[in-house]
Amino acid sequence: MKDETKCVLTPGVKEARFKSLAPAVHRASTIVFADAEEYATRGERGPDGYTYGLYGTPTTRQLEAKLQALSGAARTLLVPSGQASNAVAAMALLSAGDHILIADTSYPPMRTHADDDLKRFGVGVDYYDPLSLDDLKRRIRPETKLVWCESPGSTTMEVQDIPAIVEIAHAAGALVGCDNTWATALAFKAHAFGVDIVSEALTKYASGHSDILMGAMSFADEEVALKVRAFMGRTGIGVSPDDAALVLRGMETMALRFAHAEAGARRLIGRLQAHPAIAEVYWPPLESNPGHALWKRDFTGAAGVFTVVLADGKSAGLDGALGALRTFAIGASWGGTRSLVAPMSIGKARTVAPVVGEDLFVRFSVGLEAIEELEADIDAFLACLS
Ligand SMILES: *Cc1c(COP(=O)(O)O)cnc(C)c1O
């Protein structure tokens, strides 16, 4: 063999008796075939076979299998971000003339995708009150093909009656999709409550280290999954095996991180609630939270993400109070090891139930730092507001 060829070919080595606990990273664009017959019939390999890197390698399939088992889905598919998961599900399943109903409290980019893209494709877009089954019933139409939920809702944490929504949607011939990023499949098994498509930003708790963007769509029905998978193939949407390996690693500690964040949130919320500078705390385990009884009925845990509303007259001091934080970082994409805080305004992202009062919400995400240091930060934050 000439040197140039030796440079190109990688010799096979013994793999027998090598067994690592770490999933291997299988990178590939092209897949090679043993003979002409295998190549000619590659299209018959089905969704679990390998034909091209875009459609999956053993590494991305391992992550899909892990998520599928955790969520109780018929099939899970990976996409490059959490928002891609919302948008791809909608684009793959809706056609011109169809109608989508979206919870008013959905992740704001899902709304802009619907308003700017789905409408452009001829899909009718409406929003419904996440807490009112009557409102949903009023707005659902024969053309409604997808009812989109997010429970709890972004920022204001309304918990939805998912089984009742599923019943209404299915009776009308619509599928139900639910963005389950906050709870993850650890705290809410959406498929067990009838949801057809579960969307999750793996960017948050699953990857868990603020260094990866990825999303997952889990499907209750294989046929629906394959329809979306075919759309992904046609539109060239896939994920990197290196990223998938990092999410596989992150998921090994996900249950611990999630439980830790819930416990930390409980302690910090106690401090915040007791202080006169805080008017309201939104977190589903709190009895005052909209839909708390539904959370108690359907969920088995809570994320460490909650939102605070300041008391009247306190918002002028917010920038200074944020500056007093030593351990919390200011940032939006939660679910990592670092505790985060972000001031949010949501007025532009609500149409069914406009924001009453000042449009200022402070969202906290609890990470893995020592709780005493986070408590000291909260104390400094509150002192600055007073
Ligand atoms: C962060 C988030 C997303 C989007 O995830 P990205 O990976 O950042 O695109 C979608 N839905 C919810 C509820 C989120 O919190």
Side-chain angles (χ1 to χ4, degrees):
M1 196 185 284
K2 297 220 182 286
D3 278 355
E4 294 89 327
T5 310
K6 278 187 193 153
C7 285
V8 171
L9 300 189
T10 303
V13 294
K14 235 171 83 173
E15 287 184 30
R17 309 194 82 172
F18 172 78
K19 205 161 168 58
S20 164
L21 289 172
V25 182
H26 291 279
R27 300 192 188 97
S29 54
T30 197
I31 308 283
V32 293
F33 299 82
D35 53 38
E37 165 73 9
E38 270 207 1
Y39 183 69
T41 57
R42 68 193 184 283
E44 295 160 26
R45 289 185 169 191
D48 296 317
Y50 298 107
T51 54
Y52 187 46
L54 180 69
Y55 311 140
T57 77
T59 310
T60 58
R61 296 280 169 80
Q62 275 183 315
L63 178 54
E64 287 173 341
K66 189 182 276 222
L67 291 161
Q68 188 178 311
L70 189 63
S71 62
R75 185 175 288 275
T76 295
L77 299 171
L78 301 174
V79 287
S81 71
Q83 174 55 14
S85 163
N86 294 345
V88 166
M91 281 191 286
L93 296 171
L94 296 171
S95 304
D98 290 347
H99 178 242
I100 181 173
L101 272 172
I102 301 174
D104 198 37
T105 45
S106 293
Y107 182 64
M110 180 56 178
R111 296 181 62 114
T112 46
H113 164 60
D115 293 338
D116 294 354
D117 301 314
L118 295 180
K119 278 185 186 167
R120 193 162 50 80
F121 300 152
V123 175
V125 175
D126 277 307
Y127 297 90
Y128 68 94
D129 181 338
L131 294 171
S132 168
L133 298 172
D134 286 337
D135 189 55
L136 177 66
K137 282 183 201 152
R138 257 195 310 278
R139 294 175 193 266
I140 206 159
R141 306 195 220 136
E143 314 84 78
T144 307
K145 290 290 169 343
L146 185 56
V147 173
W148 194 259
C149 306
E150 183 175 320
S151 181
S154 272
T155 311
T156 41
M157 303 279 166
E158 295 85 349
V159 182
Q160 298 192 262
D161 191 342
I162 297 292
I165 290 169
V166 165
E167 200 178 316
I168 294 165
H170 285 178
L175 294 172
V176 175
C178 183
D179 188 328
N180 199 34
T181 299
W182 183 86
T184 81
L186 288 173
F188 182 53
K189 301 275 189 224
H191 291 306
F193 294 88
V195 171
D196 302 288
I197 307 140
V198 180
S199 175
E200 183 181 338
L202 305 178
T203 307
K204 307 282 172 54
Y205 280 115
S207 69
H209 294 74
S210 310
D211 53 0
I212 287 288
L213 283 152
M214 202 179 291
M217 292 173 291
S218 293
F219 299 89
D221 181 72
E222 172 79 348
E223 213 172 300
V224 177
L226 294 184
K227 204 171 155 183
V228 175
R229 190 175 183 275
F231 173 82
M232 288 168 59
R234 296 194 297 273
T235 47
I237 297 169
V239 304
S240 145
D242 293 85
D243 290 351
L246 285 174
V247 179
L248 280 165
R249 171 195 280 231
M251 279 189 73
E252 292 187 22
T253 55
M254 179 182 172
L256 282 176
R257 290 185 283 103
F258 193 86
H260 184 90
E262 173 172 359
R266 203 172 287 283
R267 281 184 57 170
L268 299 183
I269 286 169
R271 250 173 160 79
L272 287 156
Q273 278 184 315
H275 198 279
I278 302 300
E280 195 80 61
V281 180
Y282 293 117
W283 194 50
L286 300 176
E287 260 172 53
S288 56
N289 198 81
H292 164 75
L294 298 168
W295 174 81
K296 220 169 151 180
R297 186 190 70 186
D298 298 345
F299 289 59
T300 55
V305 179
F306 59 88
T307 302
V308 156
V309 176
L310 305 181
D312 274 348
K314 295 299 178 196
S315 57
L318 179 60
D319 288 357
L322 291 172
L325 298 170
R326 291 290 164 263
T327 306
F328 278 91
I330 298 173
S333 192
W334 44 266
T337 58
R338 281 295 300 275
S339 294
L340 294 179
V341 60
M344 334 263 300
S345 61
I346 57 169
K348 288 199 194 89
R350 299 290 160 94
T351 46
V352 176
V355 173
V356 273
E358 197 179 357
D359 185 11
L360 179 64
F361 300 81
V362 188
R363 196 183 58 200
F364 289 86
S365 167
V366 180
L368 304 183
E369 306 92 336
I371 190 70
E372 296 77 9
E373 271 153 1
L374 297 174
E375 284 174 336
D377 253 16
I378 293 292
D379 290 346
F381 176 81
L382 291 168
C384 245
L385 285 177
S386 309

